[in-house]
Amino acid sequence: MLDKKKKRLIMRSVILLILFGAIVYALYANYAKDNKGTVEVGEKAPDFVLEDLNGTTHKLSDYEGKGVFLNFWGTYCKPCEEEMPYMDNQYATFKDQGVQILAVNVGESDFVVEKFVNKYDLKFPVLNDKDKDVQREYDVFNLPVTFLIDSNGIVTDILSGSLTEEMIKAHMESIQPQ
């Protein structure tokens, strides 16, 4: 009889220990997830790999030595739609001066994105973050958001909201390699 009580006590203790361990792990994992994905000015921009609509792979670190105008957008976002032609105009000017535009669409289908790109005849690389991994890594929720990244891969500014063509030009000049 005493043997059965001892076995039950040991079994209950093991179960409680496992439950306690699971709770501690869940809290730690949630804390670690919440702290990941905050990109701040002065920090190295997190590297990523995404494909454009032609299937070409773009890795952010491949653009070191150039300034990068990293724009997160969606086809449903009116301010995004307004600034795209301005970005395209400035891309034509700055692409040969060491500044690259990477426009990251957040989670839409290739069909929808391609239709948008064709409508505005955009020339800069449009990347599709279908799983929204890069969006989460950069902690982007409201659109549009633009990260200005210098030639060393450091975030120099984070811009929320729509940009005018003059603002885009000034920001691209600010990340242009010397």
Side-chain angles (χ1 to χ4, degrees):
M1 185 95 162
L2 194 55
D3 212 19
K4 282 187 175 182
K5 284 186 177 182
K6 199 173 185 179
K7 285 181 181 178
R8 269 191 269 162
L9 178 62
I10 292 172
M11 187 61 84
R12 287 178 182 165
S13 298
V14 168
I15 290 172
L16 282 173
L17 192 60
I18 290 171
L19 286 173
F20 180 74
I23 290 170
V24 169
Y25 174 76
L27 290 173
Y28 170 76
N30 196 31
Y31 174 77
K33 179 184 82 171
D34 286 346
N35 285 336
K36 185 180 182 192
T38 303
V39 176
E40 295 184 15
V41 172
E43 293 182 348
K44 184 94 169 155
D47 201 10
F48 60 83
V49 178
L50 290 173
E51 285 187 1
D52 64 21
L53 296 171
N54 299 320
T56 304
T57 300
H58 295 262
K59 185 174 181 182
L60 181 61
S61 58
D62 288 343
Y63 293 99
E64 281 203 26
K66 292 185 175 193
V68 178
F69 188 93
L70 179 62
N71 180 265
F72 289 84
W73 68 284
T75 61
Y76 50 84
C77 164
K78 283 297 173 193
C80 302
E81 186 174 0
E82 290 171 10
E83 69 184 10
M84 285 291 169
Y86 304 147
M87 287 169 48
D88 199 56
N89 290 343
Q90 294 308 311
Y91 177 69
T93 302
F94 284 93
K95 69 180 178 180
D96 295 328
Q97 297 179 31
V99 179
Q100 179 65 48
I101 291 180
L102 297 176
V104 178
N105 179 272
V106 291
E108 296 182 276
S109 73
D110 284 345
F111 176 77
V112 171
V113 175
E114 192 167 354
K115 186 175 173 185
F116 183 94
V117 168
N118 290 338
K119 176 180 178 182
Y120 291 99
D121 194 28
L122 303 176
K123 303 293 186 224
F124 52 81
V126 175
L127 315 177
N128 202 338
D129 186 18
K130 293 177 187 172
D131 298 326
K132 300 184 179 183
D133 292 335
V134 178
Q135 177 186 6
R136 276 190 293 281
E137 181 74 25
Y138 278 77
D139 199 26
V140 171
F141 292 101
N142 296 320
L143 299 176
V145 173
T146 302
F147 291 79
L148 301 177
I149 303 168
D150 70 14
S151 60
N152 298 313
I154 304 298
V155 176
T156 61
D157 207 351
I158 302 170
L159 314 167
S160 296
S162 184
L163 302 172
T164 65
E165 188 157 6
E166 293 76 25
M167 292 167 75
I168 292 169
K169 180 181 181 198
H171 290 304
M172 291 181 86
E173 286 172 348
S174 77
I175 58 173
Q176 185 176 8
Q178 300 303 338

